[in-house]
Amino acid sequence: MTVRVAVAGASGYAGGEVLRLLLGHPGVEIGALTAHSSAGRKLGGVQPHLWPLADRVLEATGAAALSGHDVVFLALPHGQSAAVAEQLGGQTLVIDCGADFRLVDPGQWERFYGTPHAGTWPYGLPELPGGREALRGAKRIAVPGCYPTAVSLALAPAYAHGLIEPEAVVVAASGTSGAGKALKPHLLASEVMGGMSPYGVGGVHRHTPEMVQNLSAAAGGPVTVSFTPTLAPMPRGILATCSARTKPHAGYRELREAYGKAYAGEPFVRLLPEGQWPATGAVAGSNAVHLQVAYDEDAGRAVVVCALDNLTKGTAGGAVQSMNLALGLPEETGLTCVGLAP
Amino acid sequence: MTVRVAVAGASGYAGGEVLRLLLGHPGVEIGALTAHSSAGRKLGGVQPHLWPLADRVLEATGAAALSGHDVVFLALPHGQSAAVAEQLGGQTLVIDCGADFRLVDPGQWERFYGTPHAGTWPYGLPELPGGREALRGAKRIAVPGCYPTAVSLALAPAYAHGLIEPEAVVVAASGTSGAGKALKPHLLASEVMGGMSPYGVGGVHRHTPEMVQNLSAAAGGPVTVSFTPTLAPMPRGILATCSARTKPHAGYRELREAYGKAYAGEPFVRLLPEGQWPATGAVAGSNAVHLQVAYDEDAGRAVVVCALDNLTKGTAGGAVQSMNLALGLPEETGLTCVGLAP
Amino acid sequence: MTVRVAVAGASGYAGGEVLRLLLGHPGVEIGALTAHSSAGRKLGGVQPHLWPLADRVLEATGAAALSGHDVVFLALPHGQSAAVAEQLGGQTLVIDCGADFRLVDPGQWERFYGTPHAGTWPYGLPELPGGREALRGAKRIAVPGCYPTAVSLALAPAYAHGLIEPEAVVVAASGTSGAGKALKPHLLASEVMGGMSPYGVGGVHRHTPEMVQNLSAAAGGPVTVSFTPTLAPMPRGILATCSARTKPHAGYRELREAYGKAYAGEPFVRLLPEGQWPATGAVAGSNAVHLQVAYDEDAGRAVVVCALDNLTKGTAGGAVQSMNLALGLPEETGLTCVGLAP
Amino acid sequence: MTVRVAVAGASGYAGGEVLRLLLGHPGVEIGALTAHSSAGRKLGGVQPHLWPLADRVLEATGAAALSGHDVVFLALPHGQSAAVAEQLGGQTLVIDCGADFRLVDPGQWERFYGTPHAGTWPYGLPELPGGREALRGAKRIAVPGCYPTAVSLALAPAYAHGLIEPEAVVVAASGTSGAGKALKPHLLASEVMGGMSPYGVGGVHRHTPEMVQNLSAAAGGPVTVSFTPTLAPMPRGILATCSARTKPHAGYRELREAYGKAYAGEPFVRLLPEGQWPATGAVAGSNAVHLQVAYDEDAGRAVVVCALDNLTKGTAGGAVQSMNLALGLPEETGLTCVGLAP
């Protein structure tokens, strides 16, 4: 039995990555592909790496094209998913790769996006406590942001085991695909290559409340996150360095045990052997997350470094993993933990 | 039925890419992994992207480890394959990713490598005329070089159809993985990033006789190739720009028809639609080859540009494709024409 | 005595590079800075590397801002220089970094740009035969294109000495700044990093007639150039690989002598010692040109490889060098042959 | 009057950068150049960007070559400077670009380097309180590490004004030249390009005690620094993200005032206008430091981001700036605050 899948936003990076993964997924048939400004063009001219779909014509995003599918992935700019989702029946599995349905607190949504809150959907991060249960049989899924995926997986075990204080500090480097295909001067190759820069530091980043939401749930109480994202000269990947003061009873052994336990048996999250550090290159194109934990005794802090591919586990891979759970397929179908290196 | 496969040189880039592909190949079981200076180490410390094999221990390259497999891939420095291959029985399929058995003319081998010629094995480029036939049931396969793969696919159709003169000019840019994992100063990241440089220009490059051999066969007469390789600041990919004077009767239409005919139905070689140019980014990690043909009327030359991934179609993917043919498996098993982009 | 200099197009890459060099030039005072869409902004927000000018406000490009200067650099999109130049008096030295006044043949201009030919100005490549003489005291200068600078310097000596046949083949890799700051999808960092692609191959490139013009002059007869430009994942630099069949009497010794003689004493062009190859990294940010010559006996061709910085010697550095000559200043004032590496 | 300068370690990245700057310094004459494994080679083969010195022959590092100069720069591996410095007379200005003489506390040196402490020399960071005074007329100077330069400049004003708590958290990305020219697998281009990775996280980094030393001095009491360095796919640059909890009375206004005051009039350190963030690309090849300050009210933290070129202000530029002060020359001689961009 195959399910019929449509992708809205097929011309962008997230939509393209969903399609790349679906092309290797044995249980799906790829249906409508839609876009906004590229509607009417062949996909091959926009996404030349997706050769088997090169002659498919992009349709305009909307119910006309998207209805009649078993699954619809939305890879749209923030704020546009609700209107599309409403037009799709309740029996369609709708998976939103955007931010619209991630936050529980309407006030936080309005603070950062300035529009009315669209609602809250089951959250597509199976590795969090209770994460898988929320997704089985779901008909609506909010795919986590790429930064929150990295940070939540990096710090949730330490919070769940009560090993660190509630004030976390995160500095993360992201590849440029995380910023999408928008034609903005700071995303030009000439500007990006050969340099690093922060972005969105000036106040609090839009992704912070999602991290706070996940980590507060893990900690069972309020957590704050000081988050600084930076743009790195690479197309893909997130390297998140996360730290917090350890509680008095917590040292290296307790940290290592907590992470070992939290991710034992997880198909996509790996605590690296001692002495080995995560590198985004090792997870490129894969759904894998590599983690390492250190204890800085001088500063009294736990430091957790996490590497993942922002487009795969951070977006499209996480979305496919959640789809598998919602449809009752084996969770790993169509996904790999093997990276493309070098 | 699965075949049992060993990889000699599993710590290098070519060996690692063979393993990456074999991990996604449904018909193989991965047996011994061998190395030279890394023998005794776990693979995970050397190739962290190959997670499912992370705990495998590298053995010393030699018959002790390699015998008893159905297939053995040799990914060794040039000149070392013959000694290993001799120790493996004639019923083992031995696939040499090195240069040792590619050349037909012993004189050319000795000219460029300075050692006695080891012999000539069936040549693993199925897309050349007669290429598939030579591989079915073969027990020894010489995998083509990455540059010769690109250049042969780019120019063979024009030669086979008698459209261009025998003097070809090729300038190709390669990613750094093509130079292997050797610790040489010019391969350091600080030297490579942000710049382009030629290498091995001073006389004739080692890969030239292999190109000449393939193109002369296609042309049915002697061909010369002026070949300049350059090193580009990217880890993977070859972009080869190949040209030759057109014969009097040959223009754009004849060229396009010849290439369309030559590669119609090929699962991995694609003549792009008119107006679209190959980019190495679109074929990264895939076995795909993207080609485009132009006719420069002012200069009277055909210009063919070819993009492929040097480690995949240019080495390990070509090797697996040939293995599939030799074993009687569907040629595309375990391979994809979908690239990892961006 | 200082001259007062204005720069039109100060927000772009070429204009920014002119300013970077002028800030280190002891004989100039920087006057008006103009722009189009950035007019009204402070320069520091657009060109943060030009700290001493950070608080300067960009004016609208036009005579109002530009008149009253001794020298005006025009770094404008092709086709816009003539209208601005007309408004500036004949006593102002106007240096056009665009293509408008480079070509001698109006037919070639119209063929490639589709607009009426604006005229022909003295050509700013002092290292060509007669090049310096044309520039002394000039009031109008056409700065050569970056590709034609590289290719003309690479092949002119061989043509001037009658060592090669008239059919040249050139493949050149350029950094992305050569394509300007335009917001085009193929110039996004996510698209460029990690890959190479050709551009503008489909017919004949706009820069070809300028190369043909220079090389035909050197050869004393018609020359053709088959030119394929490629885009490399680096912000700056051109590496041009240029070749042609050698004439019967010409071999390695004749080639080396011709180049040694041609560039002996040149402050910015260097024939590298035998065995050393040019790398764009070694000339970054400098006005230097590094060249090496090879003779491929098998193919009967001379191969010349040339590295320069497209923004410096290829545009702004060449412009300042020509300005120095026109003003009677020492030619090297404000320029360096020392690159920024690594 | 010119001073005669020798450089020990002229084949490495730090030594090469010292030479690049000295070639543009009007008050020096370049004397002996020494190296270890490259002794006997011409500099042009090792540092092709330093054209004017291309024919200089590298001598063996030692008193024979280095004595008889007014100034000697040591750009040697850690632990080798003391033996060389001893052989140079007390009237020679010796500037050590290595770590040997930076730390005041012998215990910290021995903890991190495992050898006896060589001593403590005047510290070459003029922008710290009292920094200039310590350098005037000095005959021995310890050049700060690149990371400590960035972190000390980023946090010292907040500590000096009592605005932040003593527990600082720093995550910094560095270009690969910071790791030197050593032939290590993780520094190969194929490994570095397209990815980020941390290094030296497992315990406390060697550079941490130098940061602690500087910041404790600024704070007038003990400070701790949790420091995580990461390796970015770029040849040059450091982007340091530094944060600490603010004290109750300190908010955005107090922070901005403190930094504005601290660096007003500094020729090389710039607090960027509000809303603009530092990028390493804007300071490449220059002695400039760009800083920005933010106040994260939710997390109660001050966040300071600092960009500099690790080889220039972070090593060789800082060294030349200190030399100027020691010799009584204008501090900015031979240095620029203009970066090479794009």
Side-chain angles (χ1 to χ4, degrees):
Chain A
M1 192 207 73
T2 55
V3 296
R4 200 168 152 72
V5 182
V7 176
S11 59
Y13 292 141
E17 183 75 351
V18 169
L19 287 169
R20 185 180 74 84
L21 296 173
L22 293 179
L23 282 166
H25 193 294
V28 306
E29 180 196 349
I30 298 176
L33 310 181
T34 77
H36 179 62
S37 60
S38 297
R41 294 184 63 184
K42 286 192 177 180
L43 189 69
V46 186
Q47 308 270 29
H49 63 300
L50 303 174
W51 174 357
L53 302 171
D55 292 330
R56 289 287 196 89
V57 177
L58 290 161
E59 302 177 66
T61 298
L66 297 171
S67 61
H69 294 81
D70 302 305
V71 182
V72 175
F73 286 89
L74 304 178
L76 304 171
H78 297 318
Q80 303 191 359
S81 296
V84 176
E86 264 168 27
Q87 302 179 289
L88 302 170
Q91 286 316 301
T92 305
L93 169 55
V94 183
I95 301 176
D96 184 22
C97 298
D100 300 31
F101 298 95
R102 291 173 191 160
L103 294 184
V104 171
D105 178 353
Q108 290 289 355
W109 173 269
E110 282 157 28
R111 178 180 171 204
F112 287 98
Y113 294 90
T115 56
H117 187 225
T120 310
W121 287 358
Y123 190 71
L125 196 46
E127 294 86 356
L128 289 186
R132 281 189 177 79
E133 291 63 39
L135 294 166
R136 296 198 206 284
K139 288 299 182 186
R140 293 290 185 273
I141 297 172
V143 178
C146 50
Y147 284 125
T149 297
V151 175
S152 301
L153 294 174
L155 289 179
Y159 278 119
H161 287 73
L163 300 176
I164 53 174
E165 299 286 351
E167 297 177 336
V169 176
V170 175
V171 179
S174 172
T176 50
S177 62
K181 228 183 220 177
L183 294 175
K184 296 176 185 165
H186 77 285
L187 297 179
L188 286 174
S190 300
E191 301 293 316
V192 167
M193 291 186 293
M196 295 275 302
S197 57
Y199 62 102
V201 191
V204 181
H205 191 272
R206 282 182 168 187
H207 275 157
T208 307
E210 191 181 342
M211 299 174 195
V212 168
Q213 176 175 297
N214 293 344
L215 296 178
S216 297
V223 161
T224 65
V225 180
S226 162
F227 174 57
T228 306
T230 65
L231 198 62
M234 58 189 191
R236 287 175 175 242
I238 284 182
L239 188 82
T241 302
C242 312
S243 71
R245 280 194 65 78
T246 45
K247 293 206 171 164
H249 60 282
Y252 178 65
R253 189 180 320 180
E254 289 75 19
L255 286 163
R256 189 135 192 111
E257 276 179 22
Y259 282 82
K261 220 177 292 177
Y263 295 127
E266 279 297 340
F268 296 119
V269 184
R270 182 173 191 226
L271 177 63
L272 293 178
E274 303 191 43
Q276 191 177 341
W277 288 89
T280 64
V283 297
S286 85
N287 212 45
V289 178
H290 286 190
L291 287 171
Q292 187 53 288
V293 185
Y295 173 57
D296 180 340
E297 199 170 353
D298 287 27
R301 293 182 80 89
V303 181
V304 186
V305 179
C306 173
L308 55 75
D309 184 319
N310 60 300
L311 284 181
T312 319
K313 178 60 179 169
T315 307
V320 169
Q321 185 182 357
S322 295
M323 176 192 80
N324 289 339
L325 284 164
L327 295 175
L329 297 171
E331 188 174 337
E332 301 172 59
T333 313
L335 298 169
T336 182
C337 60
V338 177
L340 181 71
Chain B
M1 193 209 73
T2 55
V3 297
R4 199 166 152 73
V5 182
V7 177
S11 59
Y13 292 140
E17 184 76 350
V18 169
L19 287 170
R20 185 180 73 83
L21 296 173
L22 293 180
L23 281 167
H25 193 294
V28 305
E29 180 196 349
I30 297 176
L33 309 181
T34 77
H36 179 62
S37 60
S38 296
R41 294 185 62 187
K42 287 192 176 180
L43 189 69
V46 186
Q47 307 270 30
H49 63 300
L50 303 174
W51 174 358
L53 302 171
D55 291 329
R56 288 288 197 89
V57 176
L58 291 161
E59 302 176 66
T61 298
L66 297 171
S67 62
H69 294 82
D70 302 305
V71 181
V72 175
F73 286 90
L74 304 178
L76 303 171
H78 298 318
Q80 303 191 0
S81 295
V84 176
E86 265 168 25
Q87 303 179 288
L88 302 171
Q91 286 316 301
T92 305
L93 170 55
V94 183
I95 302 176
D96 185 22
C97 297
D100 301 30
F101 298 96
R102 292 173 190 159
L103 294 184
V104 172
D105 178 352
Q108 290 290 354
W109 174 270
E110 282 157 27
R111 176 180 173 205
F112 286 99
Y113 294 90
T115 56
H117 187 224
T120 309
W121 287 357
Y123 191 71
L125 196 47
E127 293 86 357
L128 288 185
R132 280 188 178 78
E133 290 63 38
L135 294 167
R136 294 198 208 284
K139 288 297 181 187
R140 294 289 185 272
I141 296 172
V143 178
C146 50
Y147 285 125
T149 297
V151 174
S152 302
L153 294 174
L155 289 180
Y159 278 119
H161 286 75
L163 300 175
I164 53 174
E165 299 287 351
E167 298 176 334
V169 176
V170 175
V171 179
S174 172
T176 50
S177 61
K181 227 184 221 176
L183 294 175
K184 297 177 184 165
H186 77 286
L187 297 178
L188 286 175
S190 300
E191 301 293 314
V192 168
M193 291 186 294
M196 296 275 302
S197 56
Y199 61 101
V201 189
V204 181
H205 191 271
R206 283 182 167 186
H207 275 156
T208 307
E210 190 181 343
M211 300 174 194
V212 167
Q213 175 175 297
N214 293 343
L215 296 179
S216 296
V223 161
T224 65
V225 180
S226 162
F227 174 58
T228 306
T230 65
L231 196 63
M234 59 189 190
R236 288 176 175 243
I238 284 182
L239 189 83
T241 303
C242 313
S243 71
R245 280 195 63 79
T246 45
K247 293 208 171 162
H249 61 281
Y252 178 66
R253 191 180 319 181
E254 289 74 18
L255 286 163
R256 188 134 192 111
E257 275 179 22
Y259 281 82
K261 220 177 294 178
Y263 296 126
E266 279 296 341
F268 296 118
V269 184
R270 184 174 191 225
L271 178 63
L272 293 178
E274 303 191 44
Q276 190 177 342
W277 289 90
T280 64
V283 297
S286 86
N287 211 46
V289 178
H290 286 189
L291 287 170
Q292 186 53 289
V293 185
Y295 173 57
D296 179 341
E297 199 169 355
D298 287 26
R301 294 182 81 89
V303 181
V304 186
V305 179
C306 173
L308 54 74
D309 184 319
N310 60 300
L311 283 182
T312 320
K313 178 61 178 169
T315 306
V320 169
Q321 186 183 356
S322 294
M323 177 192 78
N324 289 339
L325 284 163
L327 296 176
L329 298 171
E331 188 173 337
E332 300 171 61
T333 314
L335 298 169
T336 181
C337 61
V338 176
L340 181 71
Chain C
M1 188 209 75
T2 57
V3 296
R4 198 166 153 75
V5 182
V7 176
S11 59
Y13 291 140
E17 184 76 349
V18 168
L19 287 169
R20 185 180 74 84
L21 296 173
L22 293 180
L23 281 166
H25 193 295
V28 306
E29 178 195 351
I30 297 176
L33 309 182
T34 77
H36 180 63
S37 60
S38 297
R41 294 185 61 187
K42 286 191 177 180
L43 189 69
V46 186
Q47 309 269 29
H49 63 300
L50 303 174
W51 175 357
L53 303 170
D55 291 329
R56 287 289 196 88
V57 176
L58 290 161
E59 303 177 64
T61 298
L66 297 171
S67 61
H69 294 83
D70 303 304
V71 181
V72 175
F73 287 90
L74 304 178
L76 303 171
H78 298 319
Q80 303 191 1
S81 295
V84 176
E86 264 168 27
Q87 302 178 293
L88 303 170
Q91 285 318 298
T92 305
L93 169 55
V94 182
I95 301 176
D96 184 22
C97 297
D100 300 31
F101 298 96
R102 292 173 190 160
L103 295 183
V104 172
D105 179 352
Q108 289 290 355
W109 173 269
E110 282 158 27
R111 177 180 171 206
F112 287 97
Y113 294 91
T115 56
H117 187 225
T120 308
W121 287 358
Y123 191 71
L125 195 47
E127 293 87 356
L128 289 186
R132 280 187 177 80
E133 291 63 37
L135 294 166
R136 296 197 206 284
K139 288 298 184 188
R140 293 290 185 270
I141 296 172
V143 178
C146 49
Y147 285 125
T149 297
V151 174
S152 302
L153 294 174
L155 289 179
Y159 278 119
H161 287 74
L163 300 175
I164 52 174
E165 300 287 350
E167 298 177 336
V169 176
V170 175
V171 179
S174 172
T176 50
S177 61
K181 227 184 221 174
L183 293 175
K184 296 177 185 165
H186 78 285
L187 297 179
L188 285 175
S190 300
E191 302 293 315
V192 167
M193 291 187 294
M196 296 274 303
S197 56
Y199 61 101
V201 190
V204 181
H205 191 271
R206 281 182 169 186
H207 276 155
T208 307
E210 190 180 343
M211 300 174 193
V212 167
Q213 175 175 298
N214 293 344
L215 296 178
S216 297
V223 162
T224 65
V225 180
S226 163
F227 174 58
T228 306
T230 65
L231 197 62
M234 57 189 194
R236 287 174 177 244
I238 284 182
L239 187 82
T241 303
C242 312
S243 73
R245 280 194 63 78
T246 44
K247 293 208 171 162
H249 60 281
Y252 179 66
R253 190 181 318 182
E254 289 75 17
L255 286 162
R256 188 136 192 111
E257 276 179 21
Y259 282 82
K261 220 177 291 177
Y263 295 127
E266 279 297 340
F268 295 118
V269 184
R270 184 175 190 224
L271 178 63
L272 293 178
E274 303 191 43
Q276 190 177 343
W277 288 90
T280 63
V283 297
S286 86
N287 211 45
V289 179
H290 286 190
L291 286 170
Q292 186 53 288
V293 185
Y295 173 56
D296 179 342
E297 200 170 354
D298 287 25
R301 293 182 81 89
V303 181
V304 187
V305 180
C306 173
L308 55 73
D309 185 319
N310 59 300
L311 283 181
T312 320
K313 178 60 179 171
T315 307
V320 169
Q321 185 182 357
S322 295
M323 175 192 81
N324 289 340
L325 284 163
L327 296 175
L329 297 170
E331 188 174 337
E332 301 172 60
T333 314
L335 298 169
T336 180
C337 62
V338 177
L340 180 70
Chain D
M1 191 209 72
T2 56
V3 296
R4 197 165 155 75
V5 182
V7 177
S11 59
Y13 292 141
E17 184 77 350
V18 168
L19 286 170
R20 185 180 73 85
L21 296 173
L22 294 180
L23 281 166
H25 192 295
V28 307
E29 179 195 351
I30 297 176
L33 309 181
T34 77
H36 179 64
S37 59
S38 296
R41 295 185 61 185
K42 286 192 176 179
L43 189 71
V46 187
Q47 308 270 30
H49 62 300
L50 302 174
W51 175 358
L53 302 170
D55 292 329
R56 288 289 195 89
V57 177
L58 291 160
E59 302 177 66
T61 298
L66 297 171
S67 62
H69 294 82
D70 302 305
V71 182
V72 176
F73 286 90
L74 304 178
L76 303 171
H78 298 318
Q80 303 190 0
S81 296
V84 176
E86 265 169 25
Q87 302 179 292
L88 303 170
Q91 286 318 299
T92 305
L93 170 56
V94 183
I95 302 177
D96 184 21
C97 298
D100 301 30
F101 298 95
R102 291 173 190 159
L103 294 184
V104 172
D105 179 353
Q108 289 290 355
W109 173 268
E110 283 157 27
R111 177 179 172 205
F112 286 99
Y113 294 90
T115 56
H117 187 225
T120 309
W121 287 359
Y123 191 72
L125 196 47
E127 293 87 355
L128 288 186
R132 281 187 177 78
E133 291 63 38
L135 295 166
R136 295 197 206 285
K139 287 298 182 186
R140 293 290 184 271
I141 296 171
V143 179
C146 50
Y147 284 124
T149 297
V151 174
S152 302
L153 294 174
L155 289 179
Y159 278 119
H161 287 74
L163 300 175
I164 52 174
E165 300 287 350
E167 299 176 335
V169 176
V170 174
V171 179
S174 171
T176 50
S177 61
K181 228 185 222 176
L183 293 176
K184 297 177 184 163
H186 77 284
L187 297 178
L188 286 175
S190 299
E191 302 294 314
V192 167
M193 291 187 293
M196 296 274 302
S197 56
Y199 62 101
V201 189
V204 181
H205 191 273
R206 282 182 168 186
H207 275 156
T208 307
E210 190 180 343
M211 300 173 193
V212 167
Q213 176 175 299
N214 293 343
L215 296 179
S216 297
V223 162
T224 65
V225 179
S226 162
F227 173 57
T228 305
T230 65
L231 197 63
M234 57 189 193
R236 288 174 176 244
I238 284 182
L239 188 82
T241 303
C242 312
S243 72
R245 281 194 64 78
T246 45
K247 293 206 172 164
H249 60 281
Y252 178 65
R253 190 181 317 180
E254 287 76 18
L255 286 163
R256 189 136 192 112
E257 276 179 22
Y259 282 82
K261 220 177 291 177
Y263 296 125
E266 279 297 339
F268 296 118
V269 184
R270 184 175 190 224
L271 177 63
L272 293 178
E274 301 192 42
Q276 190 177 343
W277 288 91
T280 63
V283 297
S286 85
N287 212 45
V289 179
H290 286 189
L291 287 170
Q292 187 53 288
V293 185
Y295 173 57
D296 179 340
E297 199 169 355
D298 287 26
R301 293 183 81 88
V303 181
V304 186
V305 179
C306 172
L308 54 74
D309 185 319
N310 59 299
L311 284 181
T312 320
K313 178 60 179 170
T315 307
V320 169
Q321 186 182 356
S322 295
M323 177 192 80
N324 289 340
L325 284 163
L327 296 175
L329 297 170
E331 188 174 336
E332 301 172 59
T333 313
L335 297 169
T336 181
C337 61
V338 177
L340 180 70

